[in-house]
Amino acid sequence: MTVHQAKGLEFGLVIVPHLVEGRFPASRRGEGLTLPDELLKEELPAAELHLAEERRLAYVAITRAREELVCTLAGRYEGVKDWRPSRFLTPIRGAEARELAAVSLLVPPAGGLVEVARQVELPLNDAPPIAALSYTQVDTYLRCPQMYQYRFVFRLPTRPKPQMQFGRILHEALKDALGSIERDKPLTWAMVDSAYVAAWARERFCAPEQAPSLQDLGRTYLRRAFDAGDLSKPLLLEQPFSLRVDGLRLTGRMDRVDRHPDGSYEVIDYKTGSAKRAADLQRDLQLGVYALAAREVFRFDPLSLSYYYLETSERVTVAKPKERLEDDRQTIVKVAEGIRAELFPARPDRMKCSGCDFRLLCPSAAV
Ligand code: SF4
């Protein structure tokens, strides 16, 4: 039940979940209901009023317990964000909790999430109706519908992966460095490097032992791209888009869009993996999604699509003729139909399953 519903009630055991900053206390969303000025004894900034209300709610929640209170938190929920413990935990464990018989912080079970998930009957949630899909969701469904179900329907968290975090850090550094270019302030290596250092500082890296070598590697990538003159100011940077495909919104973000002197446009996506040949990318769905958005949402014409491989500073440009885009559109429609019909068959494959976050949970995993 919600804390509001628990007001005035008492229970032997109360479990208060999600004690992390941003959930409890929740982030402030909108202004909510406000009191007329004359009813306010003192003027508090809106953020403080929100926090005071959250604190009152936390007080209500923990004082519902007659005998035992269990507060839980996790470093990671769905997605890849790292969550910090709630500021309310300190007072809960201290003075305010003294009258309570027991206050315990739930330690994750030895088997972690897998043990918890095995004990509950799946599905954990009903499949939510879908109005929008991201490219990542489409790609996950195509790799294995069962994996899609675990990740996006049951919303089971995934483990951070060093390569993914490394890629995100490089994208962040490029976004900040390219975004800081101004007409009278061209990009210098110092600007790129400081954006890179700041991006590393913001990320809690999951494999600290690999961090020093990856830091050096990423700096080499950026330096090479900088020396090659590839870090110019783009027309658009991290451009979000929302494209209609068969009554569904397909959402995504373009790393950069360039406008060339001949008036043509180029959508460029940065990659940290090994370079592929243009011939092997003809059926690449991600580029198809960019092409559909570029043509139908932004009306970029003429248009080219490229992957920029940071490892080798190589730009691979791929042609996406109209008939191939139609195939890509049909692929997205089929994925949406499968999700709507709740078709989540497992597609085990030794390579795929070995890198799957859910392999210990999945009865079909190829081991
Ligand atoms: S373990 Fe294999 S079959 Fe199971 S969800 Fe993951 S990829 Fe799919």
Side-chain angles (χ1 to χ4, degrees), residues 273-358:
S274 307
K276 289 187 182 166
R277 294 176 315 132
D280 298 331
L281 290 167
Q282 300 295 313
R283 300 200 169 275
D284 186 272
L285 185 63
Q286 189 176 11
L287 287 177
V289 170
Y290 289 146
L292 286 167
R295 288 192 202 286
E296 295 178 15
V297 180
F298 300 108
R299 310 266 172 223
F300 292 151
D301 189 31
L303 171 74
S304 58
L305 304 147
S306 304
Y307 280 140
Y308 185 93
Y309 292 97
L310 288 157
E311 188 184 355
T312 47
S313 316
E314 198 178 339
R315 186 183 301 215
V316 177
T317 301
V318 180
K320 272 279 182 186
K322 285 212 171 72
E323 19 351 310
R324 208 157 279 146
L325 284 188
E326 214 27 63
D327 291 348
D328 291 341
R329 190 194 298 278
Q330 287 313 314
T331 303
I332 297 162
V333 169
K334 281 205 186 91
V335 167
E337 283 170 359
I339 296 170
R340 283 194 183 113
E342 300 187 30
L343 297 174
F344 302 116
R347 292 222 182 98
D349 162 278
R350 202 173 282 267
M351 270 275 280
K352 242 175 357 194
C353 296
S354 68
C356 175
D357 282 305
F358 313 112

Coordinates of all heavy atoms in Angstrom, one line a residue, residues 273-358:
G273 N 33.0 -0.2 -30.7 CA 33.4 -1.6 -31.1 C 34.2 -1.5 -32.4 O 34.6 -0.5 -32.9
S274 N 34.6 -2.8 -32.8 CA 35.4 -2.9 -34.0 C 34.6 -2.5 -35.3 O 33.4 -2.8 -35.4 CB 35.9 -4.3 -34.2 OG 36.5 -4.7 -33.0
A275 N 35.3 -1.9 -36.2 CA 34.7 -1.4 -37.4 C 34.1 -2.6 -38.3 O 34.7 -3.6 -38.3 CB 35.7 -0.6 -38.2
K276 N 33.0 -2.3 -38.9 CA 32.4 -3.3 -39.9 C 32.5 -2.6 -41.3 O 32.5 -1.4 -41.4 CB 30.9 -3.5 -39.5 CG 30.8 -4.3 -38.3 CD 29.3 -4.7 -38.1 CE 29.1 -5.5 -36.8 NZ 27.7 -5.6 -36.4
R277 N 32.4 -3.5 -42.3 CA 32.5 -3.0 -43.6 C 31.1 -2.6 -44.0 O 30.1 -3.1 -43.6 CB 32.9 -4.1 -44.6 CG 34.4 -4.5 -44.4 CD 34.8 -5.7 -45.2 NE 33.8 -6.7 -45.3 CZ 33.3 -7.3 -46.4 NH1 33.7 -6.9 -47.6 NH2 32.4 -8.2 -46.4
A278 N 31.0 -1.6 -45.0 CA 29.7 -1.1 -45.4 C 28.9 -2.2 -46.0 O 27.6 -2.3 -45.7 CB 29.9 0.0 -46.5
A279 N 29.5 -3.2 -46.6 CA 28.7 -4.3 -47.2 C 28.0 -5.1 -46.2 O 26.9 -5.7 -46.4 CB 29.6 -5.2 -48.0
D280 N 28.6 -5.2 -44.9 CA 28.0 -6.0 -43.9 C 27.0 -5.2 -43.1 O 26.3 -5.7 -42.2 CB 29.1 -6.4 -42.9 CG 30.1 -7.4 -43.6 OD1 29.7 -8.0 -44.5 OD2 31.2 -7.4 -43.2
L281 N 26.8 -3.9 -43.4 CA 25.9 -3.0 -42.7 C 24.6 -2.7 -43.5 O 23.8 -1.9 -43.1 CB 26.6 -1.7 -42.3 CG 27.6 -1.9 -41.2 CD1 28.5 -0.6 -41.1 CD2 27.0 -2.2 -39.9
Q282 N 24.5 -3.4 -44.7 CA 23.3 -3.0 -45.5 C 22.0 -3.3 -44.8 O 21.0 -2.6 -45.0 CB 23.4 -3.9 -46.8 CG 24.6 -3.7 -47.7 CD 24.7 -2.3 -48.2 OE1 23.7 -1.8 -48.8 NE2 25.8 -1.7 -48.1
R283 N 21.9 -4.3 -44.0 CA 20.7 -4.6 -43.3 C 20.7 -4.2 -41.9 O 19.9 -4.6 -41.1 CB 20.5 -6.2 -43.3 CG 20.4 -6.7 -44.7 CD 19.7 -8.0 -44.8 NE 19.5 -8.3 -46.2 CZ 18.4 -7.9 -46.9 NH1 17.5 -7.2 -46.3 NH2 18.2 -8.2 -48.2
D284 N 21.6 -3.2 -41.5 CA 21.7 -2.7 -40.2 C 20.4 -1.9 -39.8 O 20.1 -0.9 -40.4 CB 22.9 -1.9 -40.0 CG 23.2 -1.4 -38.6 OD1 22.6 -0.4 -38.2 OD2 23.9 -2.2 -37.9
L285 N 19.7 -2.4 -38.8 CA 18.4 -1.8 -38.4 C 18.6 -0.5 -37.8 O 17.7 0.4 -38.0 CB 17.6 -2.8 -37.5 CG 16.2 -2.3 -37.2 CD1 15.3 -2.2 -38.4 CD2 15.6 -3.2 -36.1
Q286 N 19.6 -0.3 -37.0 CA 19.8 1.0 -36.3 C 19.9 2.1 -37.4 O 19.3 3.2 -37.2 CB 21.1 1.0 -35.4 CG 21.2 2.2 -34.5 CD 22.3 2.1 -33.6 OE1 23.2 1.2 -33.7 NE2 22.3 3.0 -32.6
L287 N 20.7 1.9 -38.4 CA 20.9 2.9 -39.4 C 19.5 3.1 -40.2 O 19.2 4.2 -40.6 CB 22.0 2.5 -40.4 CG 23.4 2.6 -39.9 CD1 24.4 2.1 -41.0 CD2 23.7 4.1 -39.5
G288 N 18.8 2.0 -40.3 CA 17.4 2.1 -40.9 C 16.5 3.0 -40.1 O 15.8 3.9 -40.6
V289 N 16.6 2.9 -38.8 CA 15.8 3.7 -37.9 C 16.2 5.2 -38.1 O 15.4 6.1 -38.2 CB 15.9 3.3 -36.4 CG1 15.3 4.3 -35.5 CG2 15.2 1.9 -36.3
Y290 N 17.5 5.4 -38.1 CA 18.0 6.8 -38.3 C 17.5 7.4 -39.6 O 17.1 8.5 -39.7 CB 19.5 6.9 -38.3 CG 20.1 6.7 -36.9 CD1 21.3 6.0 -36.8 CD2 19.5 7.1 -35.7 CE1 21.9 5.8 -35.5 CE2 20.1 6.9 -34.5 CZ 21.3 6.3 -34.4 OH 21.8 6.1 -33.2
A291 N 17.6 6.5 -40.7 CA 17.2 7.0 -42.0 C 15.7 7.3 -42.0 O 15.3 8.4 -42.6 CB 17.5 5.9 -43.0
L292 N 14.9 6.5 -41.4 CA 13.4 6.8 -41.4 C 13.2 8.1 -40.6 O 12.4 8.9 -41.1 CB 12.7 5.6 -40.6 CG 12.5 4.3 -41.4 CD1 12.1 3.2 -40.5 CD2 11.6 4.5 -42.6
A293 N 13.8 8.3 -39.5 CA 13.6 9.5 -38.7 C 14.1 10.7 -39.5 O 13.5 11.7 -39.5 CB 14.3 9.4 -37.4
A294 N 15.3 10.6 -40.1 CA 15.9 11.7 -40.8 C 15.0 12.1 -42.0 O 14.9 13.3 -42.2 CB 17.3 11.3 -41.3
R295 N 14.5 11.2 -42.7 CA 13.7 11.5 -43.8 C 12.3 12.0 -43.4 O 11.8 13.0 -43.9 CB 13.5 10.3 -44.8 CG 14.8 9.9 -45.5 CD 14.5 8.9 -46.6 NE 15.7 8.2 -47.0 CZ 16.7 8.6 -47.7 NH1 16.6 9.9 -48.1 NH2 17.7 7.9 -48.0
E296 N 11.6 11.2 -42.5 CA 10.2 11.5 -42.2 C 10.0 12.6 -41.2 O 9.0 13.2 -41.2 CB 9.5 10.2 -41.9 CG 9.5 9.2 -43.0 CD 8.9 7.9 -42.7 OE1 8.2 7.8 -41.7 OE2 9.2 6.9 -43.5
V297 N 10.9 12.7 -40.2 CA 10.7 13.7 -39.2 C 11.4 15.0 -39.5 O 10.8 16.0 -39.4 CB 11.2 13.1 -37.8 CG1 11.0 14.2 -36.7 CG2 10.5 11.8 -37.4
F298 N 12.7 14.9 -39.9 CA 13.5 16.1 -40.1 C 13.5 16.5 -41.6 O 14.0 17.6 -41.9 CB 14.9 15.9 -39.6 CG 14.9 15.6 -38.1 CD1 15.2 14.3 -37.7 CD2 14.6 16.6 -37.2 CE1 15.2 14.0 -36.3 CE2 14.5 16.3 -35.8 CZ 14.9 15.0 -35.4
R299 N 13.1 15.6 -42.5 CA 13.1 15.9 -44.0 C 14.5 16.3 -44.5 O 14.7 17.2 -45.2 CB 12.2 17.1 -44.3 CG 10.8 17.0 -43.7 CD 9.8 16.3 -44.7 NE 8.6 16.0 -44.1 CZ 7.9 14.9 -44.2 NH1 8.4 13.9 -45.0 NH2 6.7 14.7 -43.7
F300 N 15.5 15.5 -44.0 CA 16.9 15.7 -44.4 C 17.0 15.1 -45.8 O 16.9 13.9 -46.0 CB 17.9 15.1 -43.5 CG 18.0 15.7 -42.1 CD1 18.3 14.9 -41.0 CD2 17.7 17.1 -42.0 CE1 18.4 15.5 -39.8 CE2 17.8 17.6 -40.7 CZ 18.2 16.9 -39.6
D301 N 17.4 15.9 -46.8 CA 17.5 15.4 -48.2 C 18.5 16.3 -48.9 O 18.2 17.5 -48.9 CB 16.1 15.3 -48.8 CG 16.2 14.6 -50.1 OD1 17.0 13.7 -50.3 OD2 15.4 15.0 -51.0
P302 N 19.5 15.8 -49.6 CA 19.9 14.4 -49.6 C 20.6 14.0 -48.3 O 21.0 14.9 -47.6 CB 21.0 14.4 -50.8 CG 21.3 15.8 -51.1 CD 20.3 16.7 -50.5
L303 N 20.6 12.7 -48.1 CA 21.0 12.2 -46.8 C 22.0 11.0 -46.9 O 21.9 10.2 -47.8 CB 19.7 11.6 -46.1 CG 19.9 10.9 -44.8 CD1 20.3 11.8 -43.6 CD2 18.6 10.1 -44.4
S304 N 23.0 11.0 -46.0 CA 23.9 9.8 -45.9 C 23.9 9.4 -44.5 O 23.6 10.2 -43.6 CB 25.3 10.1 -46.5 OG 25.9 11.2 -45.8
L305 N 24.3 8.2 -44.2 CA 24.3 7.6 -42.9 C 25.6 6.9 -42.6 O 26.1 6.2 -43.5 CB 23.2 6.5 -42.8 CG 21.8 7.0 -43.1 CD1 21.0 5.8 -43.8 CD2 21.1 7.5 -41.9
S306 N 26.2 7.3 -41.5 CA 27.6 6.7 -41.2 C 27.7 6.3 -39.8 O 27.1 6.8 -38.9 CB 28.6 7.8 -41.5 OG 28.5 8.3 -42.8
Y307 N 28.5 5.3 -39.6 CA 29.1 5.0 -38.3 C 30.5 5.5 -38.2 O 31.2 5.4 -39.2 CB 29.1 3.4 -38.1 CG 27.8 2.8 -37.7 CD1 27.4 1.6 -38.2 CD2 26.9 3.4 -36.8 CE1 26.2 1.0 -37.9 CE2 25.7 2.9 -36.5 CZ 25.3 1.7 -37.0 OH 24.1 1.1 -36.7
Y308 N 30.8 6.1 -37.1 CA 32.2 6.6 -36.9 C 32.8 5.7 -35.8 O 32.4 5.7 -34.7 CB 32.2 8.0 -36.4 CG 33.6 8.6 -36.4 CD1 34.2 9.3 -37.4 CD2 34.4 8.4 -35.2 CE1 35.5 9.8 -37.4 CE2 35.7 8.9 -35.1 CZ 36.2 9.6 -36.2 OH 37.5 10.1 -36.1
Y309 N 33.8 4.9 -36.2 CA 34.4 3.9 -35.3 C 35.6 4.6 -34.6 O 36.6 4.9 -35.3 CB 34.9 2.7 -36.1 CG 33.7 1.9 -36.6 CD1 33.2 2.0 -37.8 CD2 33.0 1.0 -35.7 CE1 32.1 1.3 -38.3 CE2 31.9 0.3 -36.1 CZ 31.4 0.4 -37.4 OH 30.3 -0.3 -37.8
L310 N 35.4 4.9 -33.3 CA 36.4 5.6 -32.6 C 37.7 4.9 -32.5 O 38.8 5.5 -32.4 CB 35.9 6.0 -31.2 CG 34.8 7.0 -31.2 CD1 33.9 6.9 -30.0 CD2 35.4 8.4 -31.3
E311 N 37.6 3.5 -32.5 CA 38.9 2.7 -32.3 C 39.9 3.0 -33.4 O 41.1 3.1 -33.2 CB 38.5 1.2 -32.3 CG 39.6 0.3 -32.0 CD 39.3 -1.1 -32.1 OE1 38.1 -1.4 -32.3 OE2 40.2 -2.0 -31.9
T312 N 39.3 3.2 -34.6 CA 40.2 3.4 -35.8 C 40.0 4.8 -36.5 O 40.6 5.0 -37.5 CB 40.0 2.3 -36.8 OG1 38.5 2.2 -37.0 CG2 40.5 1.0 -36.4
S313 N 39.2 5.7 -35.9 CA 38.8 6.9 -36.5 C 38.3 6.7 -37.9 O 38.7 7.5 -38.8 CB 40.0 7.9 -36.6 OG 40.7 7.9 -35.4
E314 N 37.5 5.7 -38.1 CA 37.1 5.4 -39.5 C 35.6 5.7 -39.6 O 34.8 5.3 -38.8 CB 37.3 3.8 -39.6 CG 37.4 3.3 -41.0 CD 37.6 1.8 -40.9 OE1 38.2 1.3 -39.9 OE2 37.3 1.2 -41.9
R315 N 35.3 6.3 -40.7 CA 33.9 6.6 -41.0 C 33.4 5.7 -42.1 O 33.9 5.6 -43.2 CB 33.7 8.0 -41.5 CG 32.3 8.5 -41.6 CD 32.3 9.9 -42.2 NE 33.0 10.9 -41.3 CZ 32.6 12.1 -41.1 NH1 31.5 12.6 -41.7 NH2 33.2 12.9 -40.3
V316 N 32.3 4.9 -41.8 CA 31.8 3.9 -42.7 C 30.4 4.4 -43.1 O 29.5 4.4 -42.3 CB 31.8 2.5 -42.2 CG1 31.1 1.5 -43.2 CG2 33.1 2.0 -41.8
T317 N 30.2 4.7 -44.4 CA 29.0 5.3 -44.8 C 28.2 4.2 -45.6 O 28.8 3.4 -46.3 CB 29.2 6.5 -45.8 OG1 30.0 7.4 -45.0 CG2 27.9 7.1 -46.3
V318 N 26.9 4.1 -45.2 CA 26.1 3.0 -45.7 C 24.9 3.6 -46.5 O 24.2 4.5 -46.0 CB 25.6 2.2 -44.6 CG1 24.7 1.0 -45.1 CG2 26.7 1.6 -43.8
A319 N 24.6 3.1 -47.7 CA 23.4 3.5 -48.4 C 22.2 2.7 -47.9 O 22.3 1.6 -47.7 CB 23.7 3.2 -49.9
K320 N 21.1 3.4 -47.8 CA 19.8 2.8 -47.4 C 18.8 3.2 -48.4 O 18.0 4.1 -48.2 CB 19.5 3.3 -46.0 CG 20.0 2.5 -44.8 CD 19.2 1.3 -44.6 CE 19.8 0.5 -43.4 NZ 19.1 -0.8 -43.2
P321 N 18.7 2.4 -49.5 CA 17.6 2.7 -50.5 C 16.2 2.5 -49.9 O 16.1 1.8 -48.9 CB 17.9 1.8 -51.6 CG 18.8 0.7 -51.1 CD 19.5 1.3 -49.8
K322 N 15.2 3.1 -50.6 CA 13.9 3.1 -50.1 C 13.3 1.7 -49.8 O 12.7 1.5 -48.8 CB 12.9 3.8 -51.0 CG 13.1 5.4 -51.0 CD 11.8 6.1 -51.3 CE 11.9 7.6 -51.1 NZ 12.7 8.3 -52.1
E323 N 13.6 0.7 -50.7 CA 13.0 -0.6 -50.5 C 13.6 -1.2 -49.2 O 12.9 -1.9 -48.4 CB 13.2 -1.6 -51.6 CG 14.1 -1.6 -52.7 CD 15.0 -0.5 -53.1 OE1 14.6 0.7 -53.2 OE2 16.2 -0.7 -53.3
R324 N 14.8 -0.9 -48.9 CA 15.4 -1.5 -47.7 C 14.8 -0.9 -46.4 O 14.6 -1.5 -45.4 CB 16.9 -1.3 -47.7 CG 17.6 -2.4 -46.9 CD 19.0 -2.6 -47.3 NE 19.2 -3.4 -48.5 CZ 20.2 -3.2 -49.4 NH1 21.0 -2.2 -49.2 NH2 20.3 -4.0 -50.4
L325 N 14.5 0.4 -46.6 CA 13.8 1.1 -45.4 C 12.4 0.5 -45.2 O 12.0 0.4 -44.0 CB 13.7 2.6 -45.7 CG 14.9 3.4 -45.6 CD1 14.6 4.9 -45.7 CD2 15.6 3.2 -44.3
E326 N 11.8 0.1 -46.3 CA 10.5 -0.5 -46.1 C 10.6 -1.8 -45.3 O 9.8 -2.2 -44.5 CB 9.8 -0.8 -47.5 CG 8.3 -0.6 -47.6 CD 7.7 0.3 -46.5 OE1 8.0 1.5 -46.5 OE2 6.9 -0.3 -45.7
D327 N 11.7 -2.6 -45.6 CA 11.9 -3.9 -44.9 C 12.1 -3.5 -43.4 O 11.6 -4.2 -42.5 CB 13.2 -4.5 -45.4 CG 13.0 -5.1 -46.8 OD1 11.8 -5.1 -47.3 OD2 14.0 -5.5 -47.4
D328 N 12.9 -2.5 -43.1 CA 13.2 -2.1 -41.7 C 11.9 -1.7 -41.0 O 11.6 -2.1 -39.9 CB 14.2 -0.9 -41.7 CG 15.6 -1.3 -42.1 OD1 15.8 -2.5 -42.1 OD2 16.3 -0.5 -42.5
R329 N 11.0 -1.0 -41.7 CA 9.7 -0.6 -41.1 C 8.9 -1.8 -40.8 O 8.3 -2.0 -39.7 CB 9.0 0.3 -42.1 CG 7.7 1.0 -41.5 CD 6.9 1.5 -42.6 NE 7.5 2.6 -43.4 CZ 7.6 3.8 -43.0 NH1 7.1 4.2 -41.9 NH2 8.2 4.7 -43.7
Q330 N 8.9 -2.8 -41.7 CA 8.1 -4.0 -41.5 C 8.7 -4.8 -40.3 O 7.9 -5.4 -39.5 CB 8.1 -4.9 -42.7 CG 7.2 -4.4 -43.9 CD 5.9 -4.0 -43.3 OE1 5.2 -4.7 -42.6 NE2 5.4 -2.8 -43.8
T331 N 10.0 -4.8 -40.2 CA 10.6 -5.5 -39.0 C 10.1 -4.9 -37.7 O 9.8 -5.6 -36.8 CB 12.2 -5.4 -39.1 OG1 12.6 -5.9 -40.3 CG2 12.9 -6.1 -38.0
I332 N 10.1 -3.5 -37.7 CA 9.7 -2.9 -36.4 C 8.2 -3.2 -36.2 O 7.8 -3.5 -35.0 CB 9.9 -1.3 -36.6 CG1 11.4 -1.0 -36.7 CG2 9.3 -0.6 -35.4 CD1 11.7 0.3 -37.3
V333 N 7.4 -3.2 -37.2 CA 5.9 -3.5 -37.1 C 5.8 -4.9 -36.5 O 5.0 -5.1 -35.6 CB 5.2 -3.3 -38.4 CG1 3.8 -3.9 -38.3 CG2 5.2 -1.9 -38.8
K334 N 6.5 -5.8 -37.0 CA 6.4 -7.2 -36.6 C 6.8 -7.3 -35.1 O 6.2 -8.1 -34.3 CB 7.3 -8.2 -37.4 CG 6.7 -8.5 -38.7 CD 7.2 -9.8 -39.3 CE 6.7 -10.1 -40.6 NZ 7.5 -9.6 -41.7
V335 N 7.9 -6.6 -34.7 CA 8.3 -6.7 -33.3 C 7.2 -6.1 -32.4 O 6.8 -6.7 -31.4 CB 9.6 -5.8 -33.1 CG1 9.9 -5.6 -31.6 CG2 10.8 -6.5 -33.7
A336 N 6.6 -5.0 -32.9 CA 5.5 -4.4 -32.1 C 4.3 -5.4 -32.0 O 3.7 -5.5 -30.9 CB 5.0 -3.1 -32.7
E337 N 4.0 -6.1 -33.0 CA 2.9 -7.0 -33.0 C 3.2 -8.2 -32.0 O 2.4 -8.6 -31.2 CB 2.7 -7.6 -34.4 CG 2.0 -6.7 -35.3 CD 2.0 -7.2 -36.8 OE1 2.5 -8.2 -37.1 OE2 1.4 -6.5 -37.6
G338 N 4.4 -8.6 -32.0 CA 4.9 -9.7 -31.1 C 4.7 -9.2 -29.7 O 4.2 -10.0 -28.8
I339 N 5.1 -8.0 -29.4 CA 5.1 -7.5 -28.0 C 3.6 -7.4 -27.6 O 3.2 -7.7 -26.5 CB 5.9 -6.2 -27.9 CG1 7.4 -6.4 -28.1 CG2 5.7 -5.6 -26.5 CD1 8.2 -5.2 -28.3
R340 N 2.8 -6.8 -28.5 CA 1.4 -6.6 -28.2 C 0.7 -7.9 -27.9 O -0.1 -8.0 -27.0 CB 0.7 -5.9 -29.3 CG 1.0 -4.4 -29.4 CD 0.0 -3.7 -30.3 NE 0.3 -2.3 -30.4 CZ 0.7 -1.7 -31.5 NH1 0.9 -2.4 -32.6 NH2 1.0 -0.4 -31.6
A341 N 1.1 -8.9 -28.7 CA 0.5 -10.3 -28.5 C 1.1 -11.1 -27.4 O 0.8 -12.2 -27.1 CB 0.6 -11.0 -29.8
E342 N 2.1 -10.4 -26.7 CA 2.8 -11.1 -25.5 C 3.5 -12.4 -26.0 O 3.4 -13.4 -25.3 CB 1.9 -11.3 -24.3 CG 1.3 -9.9 -23.8 CD 0.6 -10.1 -22.5 OE1 0.9 -11.0 -21.7 OE2 -0.4 -9.3 -22.3
L343 N 4.1 -12.3 -27.1 CA 4.8 -13.5 -27.6 C 6.3 -13.3 -27.2 O 7.0 -12.4 -27.8 CB 4.7 -13.6 -29.2 CG 3.3 -13.8 -29.7 CD1 3.3 -13.7 -31.2 CD2 2.8 -15.2 -29.2
F344 N 6.7 -14.1 -26.3 CA 8.1 -13.9 -25.8 C 8.8 -15.3 -25.8 O 9.3 -15.7 -24.7 CB 8.1 -13.3 -24.4 CG 7.4 -11.9 -24.3 CD1 6.3 -11.8 -23.6 CD2 7.9 -10.9 -25.0 CE1 5.6 -10.5 -23.5 CE2 7.3 -9.6 -25.0 CZ 6.1 -9.5 -24.2
P345 N 8.9 -15.9 -26.9 CA 9.6 -17.2 -26.9 C 11.1 -17.0 -26.7 O 11.7 -16.0 -27.1 CB 9.3 -17.7 -28.4 CG 9.1 -16.5 -29.2 CD 8.5 -15.5 -28.3
A346 N 11.7 -18.0 -26.1 CA 13.2 -17.9 -25.9 C 13.9 -18.3 -27.2 O 13.4 -19.2 -27.9 CB 13.6 -18.9 -24.8
R347 N 14.9 -17.6 -27.6 CA 15.8 -18.0 -28.7 C 17.2 -18.2 -28.3 O 18.0 -17.4 -28.4 CB 15.8 -16.8 -29.8 CG 14.5 -16.6 -30.4 CD 14.5 -16.3 -31.9 NE 13.2 -16.1 -32.3 CZ 12.7 -14.8 -32.5 NH1 13.4 -13.8 -32.4 NH2 11.4 -14.7 -32.9
P348 N 17.4 -19.4 -27.6 CA 18.7 -19.6 -27.1 C 19.8 -19.8 -28.1 O 19.5 -20.3 -29.2 CB 18.5 -20.9 -26.3 CG 17.2 -21.5 -26.8 CD 16.4 -20.5 -27.4
D349 N 20.9 -19.4 -27.8 CA 22.1 -19.4 -28.6 C 23.3 -19.3 -27.7 O 23.3 -18.4 -26.8 CB 22.0 -18.3 -29.6 CG 23.3 -18.0 -30.3 OD1 24.1 -17.3 -29.8 OD2 23.5 -18.5 -31.4
R350 N 24.2 -20.2 -27.9 CA 25.3 -20.2 -26.9 C 26.0 -18.8 -26.7 O 26.2 -18.4 -25.6 CB 26.4 -21.2 -27.3 CG 27.2 -21.8 -26.2 CD 28.1 -22.9 -26.7 NE 27.4 -24.1 -26.8 CZ 27.3 -25.0 -25.9 NH1 28.0 -24.8 -24.7 NH2 26.6 -26.2 -26.0
M351 N 26.3 -18.2 -27.8 CA 27.0 -16.9 -27.7 C 26.1 -15.8 -27.0 O 26.6 -15.2 -26.1 CB 27.2 -16.4 -29.1 CG 28.6 -16.8 -29.7 SD 29.9 -15.7 -29.2 CE 29.6 -14.3 -30.3
K352 N 24.8 -15.8 -27.4 CA 23.9 -14.8 -26.9 C 23.7 -15.0 -25.4 O 23.7 -14.1 -24.6 CB 22.6 -14.9 -27.6 CG 22.2 -13.6 -28.4 CD 21.0 -13.8 -29.2 CE 20.3 -15.1 -29.3 NZ 19.3 -15.2 -30.3
C353 N 23.4 -16.3 -25.1 CA 23.1 -16.6 -23.7 C 24.2 -16.4 -22.8 O 24.0 -16.0 -21.6 CB 22.6 -18.1 -23.6 SG 21.1 -18.4 -24.5
S354 N 25.5 -16.6 -23.2 CA 26.6 -16.4 -22.3 C 26.7 -15.0 -21.9 O 27.2 -14.7 -20.8 CB 27.9 -16.9 -23.0 OG 28.2 -16.1 -24.1
G355 N 26.3 -14.0 -22.7 CA 26.3 -12.6 -22.3 C 25.0 -12.1 -21.8 O 24.9 -10.9 -21.6
C356 N 24.0 -13.0 -21.6 CA 22.7 -12.5 -21.2 C 22.6 -12.4 -19.7 O 23.0 -13.3 -18.9 CB 21.7 -13.5 -21.7 SG 20.0 -13.1 -21.1
D357 N 22.1 -11.3 -19.2 CA 22.0 -11.0 -17.8 C 21.0 -12.0 -17.1 O 21.0 -12.1 -15.9 CB 21.4 -9.6 -17.5 CG 22.5 -8.6 -17.7 OD1 23.6 -8.7 -17.1 OD2 22.3 -7.6 -18.5
F358 N 20.2 -12.7 -17.8 CA 19.1 -13.5 -17.2 C 19.4 -15.0 -17.4 O 18.5 -15.8 -17.2 CB 17.8 -13.1 -17.8 CG 17.6 -11.6 -17.9 CD1 17.6 -10.9 -19.1 CD2 17.5 -10.9 -16.7 CE1 17.4 -9.6 -19.1 CE2 17.4 -9.5 -16.8 CZ 17.3 -8.8 -18.0

